[in-house]
Amino acid sequence: MGKIKHELMTFGKAELTATIASVVDFGLAFLLSDVIGIYYGLANALGVMSGGITNCCLNYRYVFGDSSRKKKSVAWRYFIVWGISWILNSGCTIALTELINQHEHINIHYMIPKCVVAFLVAVLVNYPGQRKFVFNN
């Protein structure tokens, strides 16, 4: 039972740091696209970058900090997982938004597909990649 409890605690802490990183990501994307007027695809990509940096720093310090890996190794491994995440988040958000909005009577804000994509990428790519590849001892 101890291993399951430990894994649930780790997952919970990782999701908390992911939520903080998402606030950075979504907040910057919204600010750049809806307030400043930058193309939503670029705004989304910049938001994902900022959120990724935030997430890496928080996870290293508060979630997986017991990793025996050196910071440089963690950074490179995180960059690989984050790069996959960035491509999926950015590309799938644009693709899903454009796919939905190509219908005549539908015009949704890109934040709705961004939420769906972000959730799926977080659960299916980010957490497993960080847990098993980036911060695994």
Side-chain angles (χ1 to χ4, degrees):
M1 190 66 164
K3 184 175 171 128
I4 293 172
K5 183 179 178 182
H6 175 71
E7 190 64 35
L8 288 174
M9 288 296 293
T10 302
F11 181 76
K13 289 190 294 185
E15 288 309 303
L16 179 60
T17 61
T19 299
I20 294 167
S22 292
V23 168
V24 171
D25 171 358
F26 281 64
L28 183 60
F30 180 80
L31 175 72
L32 292 174
S33 68
D34 290 12
V35 176
I36 296 176
I38 293 174
Y39 169 64
Y40 80 89
L42 177 59
N44 178 57
L46 293 171
V48 171
M49 282 186 208
S50 299
I53 292 167
T54 302
N55 188 250
C56 183
C57 293
L58 291 174
N59 280 347
Y60 187 82
R61 175 90 169 135
Y62 299 109
V63 180
F64 303 109
D66 59 348
S67 174
S68 61
R69 296 191 195 283
K70 298 198 181 300
K71 287 181 182 179
K72 192 173 186 177
S73 175
V74 168
W76 279 109
R77 287 170 175 264
Y78 188 89
F79 182 75
I80 292 168
V81 172
W82 174 81
I84 294 166
S85 173
W86 182 73
I87 290 167
L88 290 171
N89 272 296
S90 298
C92 292
T93 296
I94 292 169
L96 188 56
T97 302
E98 296 299 321
L99 179 70
I100 293 169
N101 285 340
Q102 80 183 56
H103 299 286
E104 274 182 46
H105 304 293
I106 302 175
N107 189 20
I108 64 167
H109 194 275
Y110 80 94
M111 282 289 181
I112 295 169
K114 179 176 175 58
C115 288
V116 172
V117 170
F119 173 78
L120 292 172
V121 171
V123 172
L124 300 174
V125 177
N126 293 349
Y127 179 75
Q130 290 176 33
R131 181 78 175 117
K132 300 294 183 188
F133 178 67
V134 177
F135 297 104
N136 190 18
N137 290 324

